[in-house]
Amino acid sequence: MGTPEFGVASLDAMVKAGFKIVGVITAPDKPAGRGMQIQQSAVKKYSTENKLTVLQPEKLKDPLFIDQLRSLKADVQVVVAFRMLPEVIWNMPPLGTINLHGSLLPQYRGAAPINWAIINGEKFTGVTTFKLQHEIDTGNILLAEKIEIKDNETAGELHDKMKEIGATLIVKTIKGLADETIIDKPQGIQNSALQHAPKIFTETCEINWTKHVDDLYNLIRGLSPYPAAFTTLEEKKLKIYKASKENIFHDFEPGSMETDGKHFLKFACTDGFIHVLELQLEGKKRIDVEAFLRGYRFAS
């Protein structure tokens, strides 16, 4: 059960491991893009190419879908980046329903664990497999693997690394459940405060230049490439995908912009500057800063 590219890696790993995939559950096709063409999910595209049975329920509580799912007689259900399931579904297979989550649970429960780990300046995160139960991301842990977050790593780069490590962990988890070598453990209450990973909203993405340079650098990394941190440049929205930081005390007003018109574009914050390296001005394409400066004319 999955929808985006993140889920494809796990499905592919299961196919290559020789597991019998009796069915794939994914989101219905829907119009997207400027032309509003009907788009299939990444998981459906992979499943169709590999001749796997696909179900695309509009509603997960639809009795017809539940009957179809039950007829597949799956031993275990695997959820990777999908919707919240009703109990009648996650409680169906004899080995239970396992979920892959992009953090070391119980830390960073929620919709955007990859983003928030970077935004908060974490040095490590991980992937966890656990059994689904009523409360979201709270089920008993099966396996987990720690992952280093590099100082300049973006959410997109960590996502790509994590989906491969997670896919391997899914295969190990299924094998362990099948041969009864894994014992699930309740999520412990940690001494340190739990960090949460709620859905990212527009207000999260708007850069507040009065904040510390390290915090803003982490925000930009944690929101790149999607949905992207943004500010304004001459009253137009400017998304920042890649940046570097300069820790230095200065007398500039936070949010003020400096450029030589050729090589650099930087914004002042409380204790330094954010140097923009890759950006996208409203209505334009994503480009590097030097290409942008060659073509942009600042208001005098």
Side-chain angles (χ1 to χ4, degrees), residues 241-290:
Y241 294 99
K242 195 172 180 182
S244 63
K245 60 179 179 172
E246 180 184 1
N247 296 78
I248 188 172
F249 289 107
H250 58 75
D251 296 325
F252 289 93
E253 186 75 19
S256 60
M257 181 269 294
E258 292 288 313
T259 182
D260 63 354
K262 293 181 180 179
H263 305 294
F264 76 85
L265 173 67
K266 64 181 182 179
F267 290 89
C269 42
T270 299
D271 53 355
F273 293 94
I274 290 292
H275 289 252
V276 180
L277 302 178
E278 288 185 22
L279 67 155
Q280 183 178 17
L281 191 64
E282 188 178 331
K284 304 292 184 181
K285 292 183 179 180
R286 173 178 172 174
I287 53 175
D288 67 69
V289 68
E290 291 192 2

Side-chain angles (χ1 to χ4, degrees), residues 35-254:
M36 295 302 284
Q37 299 291 316
I38 298 297
Q39 300 288 326
Q40 298 178 345
S41 73
V43 165
K44 183 181 178 181
K45 287 177 185 175
Y46 175 90
S47 302
T48 303
E49 289 166 3
N50 288 273
K51 298 179 172 57
L52 301 175
T53 299
V54 178
L55 299 179
Q56 296 176 273
E58 290 282 351
K59 296 180 180 179
L60 296 176
K61 291 183 178 180
D62 182 345
L64 179 61
F65 165 65
I66 291 171
D67 286 344
Q68 288 176 315
L69 194 60
R70 193 172 279 118
S71 71
L72 297 175
K73 297 180 180 177
D75 295 304
V76 63
Q77 291 174 162
V78 179
V79 178
V80 184
F82 196 55
R83 290 177 275 173
M84 191 172 176
L85 301 179
E87 182 177 359
V88 67
I89 289 178
W90 58 254
N91 210 16
M92 193 180 291
L95 293 179
T97 297
I98 62 173
N99 188 200
L100 175 68
H101 189 72
S103 77
L104 293 174
L105 290 172
Q107 293 291 357
Y108 292 102
R109 293 171 178 159
I114 300 174
N115 306 95
W116 284 108
I118 295 179
I119 291 170
N120 290 341
E122 303 286 1
K123 299 299 182 184
F124 292 92
T125 183
V127 283
T128 306
T129 52
F130 68 99
K131 283 199 171 181
L132 285 187
Q133 61 180 40
H134 287 286
E135 295 295 324
I136 192 164
D137 297 338
T138 62
N140 287 2
I141 290 174
L142 296 162
L143 292 175
E145 185 161 340
K146 195 174 183 180
I147 300 170
E148 181 184 5
I149 302 175
K150 295 180 181 177
D151 290 342
N152 61 349
E153 199 159 24
T154 65
E157 291 163 345
L158 180 58
H159 166 281
D160 291 348
K161 185 166 70 175
M162 190 178 279
K163 73 180 181 182
E164 300 300 335
I165 296 171
T168 301
L169 197 69
I170 281 285
V171 171
K172 285 171 64 177
T173 301
I174 295 170
K175 288 180 177 178
L177 287 173
D179 60 23
E180 300 181 345
T181 56
I182 292 179
I183 299 174
D184 56 296
K185 307 177 190 72
Q187 292 188 29
I189 300 173
Q190 299 190 344
N191 294 327
S192 58
L194 285 181
Q195 297 283 4
H196 298 283
K199 186 178 178 181
I200 302 287
F201 291 100
T202 302
E203 53 265 31
T204 309
C205 304
E206 186 168 9
I207 298 172
N208 177 355
W209 293 110
T210 64
K211 292 191 173 181
H212 295 295
V213 66
D214 289 344
D215 293 337
L216 294 181
Y217 177 65
N218 292 338
L219 179 74
I220 291 164
R221 292 191 302 125
L223 295 174
S224 179
Y226 182 82
F230 71 88
T231 187
T232 55
L233 179 66
E234 298 184 337
E235 299 184 358
K236 287 190 175 182
K237 187 174 182 178
L238 181 78
K239 290 184 176 181
I240 303 175
Y241 294 99
K242 195 172 180 182
S244 63
K245 60 179 179 172
E246 180 184 1
N247 296 78
I248 188 172
F249 289 107
H250 58 75
D251 296 325
F252 289 93
E253 186 75 19

